[in-house]
């Protein structure tokens, strides 16, 4: 079954009176990518869905579906050993991503911007939005064979 269709069906309780409102609200708890080209959306302080499963070789697309600025930054120690590091801004490691954010908000993903990464190594990948880390804006990608 198509994951986007399933997520859209599960979150179909969106109130009609909210049409046109910013997805920052995401009051339905549904899929912020509904009708948009992404796999993982971003509300004010959440990746939706928080956990996403793909197969080796598949590409995941994150889209900032909120009005806030976000990052997608892998926790370097929480990805498989042979995996390629990923972060918005193209940083090669977690320290560089955090430094760039602290210096100039480097790696920021603006409203409606996307970021994608192809997962070539099976395993579990943990990631975070740097500016919303204290709010627990974290996600997980599970890559299967």
């Amino acid at each position: 079954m198509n994951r986007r269709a399933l997520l859209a069906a599960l979150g179909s309780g969106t109130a009609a009176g909210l049409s046109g409102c910013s997805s920052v609200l995401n009051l339905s708890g549904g899929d912020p990518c509904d009708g948009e080209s992404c796999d993982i959306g971003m509300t004010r302080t959440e990746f939706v869905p928080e956990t996403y499963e793909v197969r080796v070789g598949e590409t995941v697309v994150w889209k900032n579906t909120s009005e806030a600025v976000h990052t997608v930054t892998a926790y370097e120690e929480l990805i498989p050993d042979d995996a390629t590091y990923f972060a918005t801004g193209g940083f090669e490691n977690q320290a560089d991503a955090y430094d760039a954010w602290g210096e100039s908000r480097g790696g920021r993903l603006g409203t409606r911007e996307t970021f994608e990464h192809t997962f070539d190594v099976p395993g579990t990948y943990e990631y975070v939005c740097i500016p919303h880390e204290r709010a627990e804006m974290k996600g997980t990608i599970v890559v299967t064979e």
Side-chain angles (χ1 to χ4, degrees), residues 34-49:
D34 189 26
E36 300 186 33
S37 58
C38 63
D39 300 303
I40 300 173
M42 300 172 197
T43 67
R44 181 70 172 105
T45 57
E46 292 181 297
F47 291 107
V48 180

Side-chain angles (χ1 to χ4, degrees), residues 3-113:
R3 285 184 289 270
R4 289 185 194 135
L6 174 63
L7 290 171
L10 292 174
S12 62
T14 303
L18 291 177
S19 63
C21 289
S22 166
S23 63
V24 167
L25 299 174
N26 194 32
L27 297 175
S28 69
D31 178 12
C33 289
D34 189 26
E36 300 186 33
S37 58
C38 63
D39 300 303
I40 300 173
M42 300 172 197
T43 67
R44 181 70 172 105
T45 57
E46 292 181 297
F47 291 107
V48 180
E50 184 177 325
T51 301
Y52 192 73
E53 186 173 318
V54 296
R55 293 189 177 267
V56 169
E58 289 186 344
T59 299
V60 174
V61 178
W62 287 262
K63 185 171 188 174
N64 184 349
T65 53
S66 80
E67 301 301 322
V69 173
H70 294 294
T71 71
V72 175
T73 308
Y75 281 123
E76 197 165 4
E77 298 297 321
L78 298 177
I79 65 174
D81 289 338
D82 297 333
T84 302
Y85 183 78
F86 64 96
T88 49
F91 303 105
E92 294 186 20
N93 58 59
Q94 187 176 345
D96 288 350
Y98 276 77
D99 287 346
W101 177 261
E103 292 171 9
S104 63
R105 293 176 36 165
R108 68 186 169 272
L109 196 64
T111 300
R112 305 296 178 244
E113 291 182 332

